[in-house]
């Protein structure tokens, strides 16, 4: 029996540790940023704008980010992106420490836009570099471990820690995120391997090569479209989730952090169990079960009477999401040629993640529209019920159009 991947592969160990640290910071900011937004305004559309600003870069910059990842040293790109994110988080820290005026919510939205732009570069390069340092046979295990660490630190530890830190001061979470980003950048810089020869063709020609491959692979394109719809629905609900927790269920910051931690436990379970489930149930069945679980979970959140029911539903949603991720990411890393991986990955994520800001805006808009005719509680439940129905439609599409075997 070979030794565990984390022990025998130094480069993977460094990447894993850096990813765990940055995701801890991301988890802290995931709660602290919208909480700061709610301190600046109670308008759902303005709060949705902050969430959308953090995701718009996936729509605007994911395509050039892929070309950059294939044309540069991915190790240096990841480290520099983390340092840039540290600088932007420092600006948010200064805003939180100041006495913000009425327009501060839009300053926060602008900083969220910059932070999301740096994240696009970092995340695309990090996913693209993995096949350079891990053998193909280890990809499921590596992806499962990375997703587990991301959820453990980013969702299970980060949000409740943020809830505790917010109690001492809204600026404190951002200070901690700044520190872990700098440390993570140093760890990535220590990775050492012989990188593949960077793409030498012109920018537009390189981009067109990636687009041509994506268009030629119908299954890959369908997966990207389904992911885009799923992420649209996820952001549609996540955007109003903090208001739902506050105004409908009456949760405090610490209690809401616990809810997110339960959801993260589901994600960790899904990441760790995915390789086992894939081996014993098959890739195709696991894919369909993930789609079915999303719809059921959103429906339960939409009718949940308390935080316990909401937490259980989010647990199942996140479990299914991580099974989906391990399946599709490993499948892509094998299917896409190494020299095209950065570009095709970025095009895939353009479809899959570019829909997120639209989902964020749609969530705020649905609440606003329903609230014109119904109660605040009904309005805040509406996005979850809409997501449940739409997820059922995705399952039907997947049954007929998604075949990975």
């Amino acid at each position: 029996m070979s030794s565990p991947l984390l022990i025998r592969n130094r480069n993977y160990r460094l990447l894993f540790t850096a990813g765990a640290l940055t995701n801890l910071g991301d988890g802290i900011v995931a709660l602290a940023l919208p909480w700061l937004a709610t301190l600046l305004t109670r308008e759902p559309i303005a709060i949705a704008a902050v969430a959308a600003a953090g995701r718009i870069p996936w729509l605007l910059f994911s395509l050039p980010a892929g070309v950059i990842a294939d044309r540069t040293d991915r190790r240096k790109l990841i480290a520099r992106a983390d340092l840039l994110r540290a600088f932007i988080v420092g600006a948010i820290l200064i805003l939180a420490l100041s006495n913000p005026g009425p327009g501060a919510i839009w300053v926060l939205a602008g900083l969220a836009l910059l932070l999301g732009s740096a994240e696009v570069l970092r995340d695309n390069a990090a996913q693209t570099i993995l096949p350079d340092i891990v053998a193909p046979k280890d990809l499921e295990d590596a992806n499962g471990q990375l997703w587990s660490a991301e959820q453990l630190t980013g969702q299970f530890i980060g949000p409740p820690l943020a809830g505790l830190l917010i109690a001492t001061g809204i600026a404190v979470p951002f200070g901690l995120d700044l520190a872990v980003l700098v440390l993570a950048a140093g760890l990535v810089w220590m990775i050492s391997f012989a990188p593949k020869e960077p793409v030498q063709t012109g920018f537009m020609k390189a981009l067109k090569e990636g687009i041509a491959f994506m268009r030629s692979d119908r299954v890959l394109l369908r997966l990207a479209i389904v992911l885009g719809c799923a992420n649209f629905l996820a952001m549609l609900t996540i955007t109003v989730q903090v208001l739902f927790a506050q105004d409908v269920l009456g949760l405090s910051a610490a209690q809401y952090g616990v809810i997110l931690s339960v959801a993260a436990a589901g994600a960790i379970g899904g990441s760790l169990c995915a390789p086992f489930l894939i081996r014993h149930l098959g890739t195709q069945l696991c894919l369909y079960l993930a789609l079915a679980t999303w719809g059921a979970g959103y429906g339960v959140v939409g009718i949940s009477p308390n935080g316990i029911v909401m937490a259980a539903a989010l647990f199942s949603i996140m479990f299914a999401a991580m099974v989906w991720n391990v399946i599709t990411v490993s499948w892509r890393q094998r299917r896409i040629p190494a020299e095209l991986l950065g570009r095709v990955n970025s095009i895939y994520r353009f479809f899959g993640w570019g829909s997120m800001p639209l989902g964020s805006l749609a969530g705020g808009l649905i609440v606003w529209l329903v609230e014109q005719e119904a109660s605040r509680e009904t309005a805040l439940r509406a996005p979850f019920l809409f997501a449940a129905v739409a997820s059922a439609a995705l399952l039907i599409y997947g049954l007929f159009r998604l075949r990975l075997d």
Side-chain angles (χ1 to χ4, degrees):
M1 179 180 294
S2 62
S3 58
L5 183 60
L6 276 169
I7 295 177
R8 58 185 160 86
N9 190 323
R10 173 184 176 274
N11 286 332
Y12 173 69
R13 187 165 60 249
L14 289 169
L15 182 68
F16 177 91
T17 305
L21 285 171
T22 58
N23 282 302
L24 173 64
D26 291 346
I28 291 171
V29 171
L31 189 146
L33 192 65
W35 207 271
L36 176 59
T38 63
L39 296 179
L40 300 177
T41 181
R42 301 299 294 179
E43 290 296 326
I45 292 181
I47 293 171
V50 174
R55 298 299 181 182
I56 284 175
W58 286 104
L59 186 61
L60 300 179
F61 305 129
S62 60
L63 296 183
V67 178
I68 292 170
D70 281 344
R71 289 166 60 91
T72 59
D73 186 324
R74 293 163 182 168
R75 174 185 62 92
K76 293 180 181 179
L77 181 60
I78 295 169
R80 288 166 178 165
D82 279 340
L83 290 176
L84 178 58
R85 289 203 293 167
F87 179 80
I88 298 165
V89 169
I92 298 175
L93 171 63
I94 294 172
L95 177 66
L97 287 171
S98 67
N99 185 21
I105 186 68
W106 304 112
V107 175
L108 184 63
L111 291 171
L113 175 67
L114 295 176
L115 190 63
S117 300
E119 183 182 356
V120 170
L121 287 172
R122 201 267 181 209
D123 284 2
N124 190 69
Q127 196 171 93
T128 304
I129 201 176
L130 188 61
D132 291 335
I133 61 177
V134 171
K137 65 182 178 63
D138 291 324
L139 283 174
E140 271 88 3
D141 287 337
N143 281 308
Q145 290 170 11
L146 287 169
W147 286 112
S148 297
E150 176 178 336
Q151 296 304 313
L152 176 64
T153 57
Q155 300 294 335
F156 193 76
I157 298 174
L161 178 58
L164 295 174
L165 294 175
I166 288 172
T168 65
I170 188 59
V172 177
F174 300 106
L176 181 56
D177 185 37
L178 190 157
V180 298
L181 284 170
V182 173
L183 178 58
L187 290 173
V188 172
W189 204 267
M190 293 168 62
I191 293 175
S192 175
F193 67 98
K196 293 180 174 63
E197 186 68 23
V199 172
Q200 301 296 329
T201 56
F203 185 93
M204 288 307 301
K205 183 180 179 181
L207 180 58
K208 288 177 180 178
E209 288 173 352
I211 293 173
F213 182 90
M214 188 75 174
R215 291 181 62 185
S216 68
D217 193 321
R218 295 300 179 88
V219 178
L220 184 63
L221 184 58
R222 289 169 190 162
L223 271 180
I225 292 171
V226 170
L227 179 63
C229 294
N231 282 338
F232 175 91
L233 297 174
M235 288 307 299
L236 182 143
T237 57
I238 290 171
T239 297
V240 301
Q241 198 167 271
V242 63
L243 288 176
F244 178 81
Q246 290 174 337
D247 296 353
V248 176
L249 302 183
L251 301 178
S252 67
Q255 290 171 327
Y256 181 56
V258 171
I259 295 286
L260 296 182
S261 292
V262 172
I268 294 167
S271 300
L272 294 176
C273 292
F276 174 85
L277 293 174
I278 294 166
R279 284 192 294 267
H280 289 80
L281 298 180
T283 298
Q284 204 62 50
L285 179 57
C286 287
L287 202 72
Y288 295 152
L289 288 174
L291 288 169
T293 302
W294 290 340
Y298 287 133
V300 171
V301 174
I303 62 174
S304 61
N306 54 54
I308 295 175
V309 176
M310 179 184 180
L314 292 179
F315 179 97
S316 65
I317 291 171
M318 292 305 298
F319 187 101
M322 291 305 107
V323 172
W324 169 281
N325 283 342
V326 171
I327 291 171
T328 57
V329 171
S330 301
W331 184 84
R332 291 198 330 263
Q333 288 169 339
R334 287 196 185 93
R335 192 175 183 92
I336 303 168
E339 65 275 10
L340 288 171
L341 187 56
R343 284 164 283 171
V344 178
N345 249 341
S346 70
I347 297 166
Y348 182 92
R349 299 181 92 175
F350 171 80
F351 286 101
W353 290 54
S355 62
M356 286 183 167
L358 304 179
S360 296
L361 294 175
L365 183 60
I366 287 174
V367 172
W368 180 79
L369 289 173
V370 175
E371 200 170 12
Q372 305 306 305
E373 304 294 336
S375 66
R376 175 80 163 178
E377 178 176 341
T378 300
L380 287 171
R381 291 184 184 275
F384 298 98
L385 299 177
F386 175 86
V389 174
S391 294
L394 280 183
L395 173 60
I396 294 171
Y397 176 84
L399 288 171
F400 288 96
R401 305 295 287 175
L402 293 182
R403 298 294 307 178
L404 303 187
D405 294 340

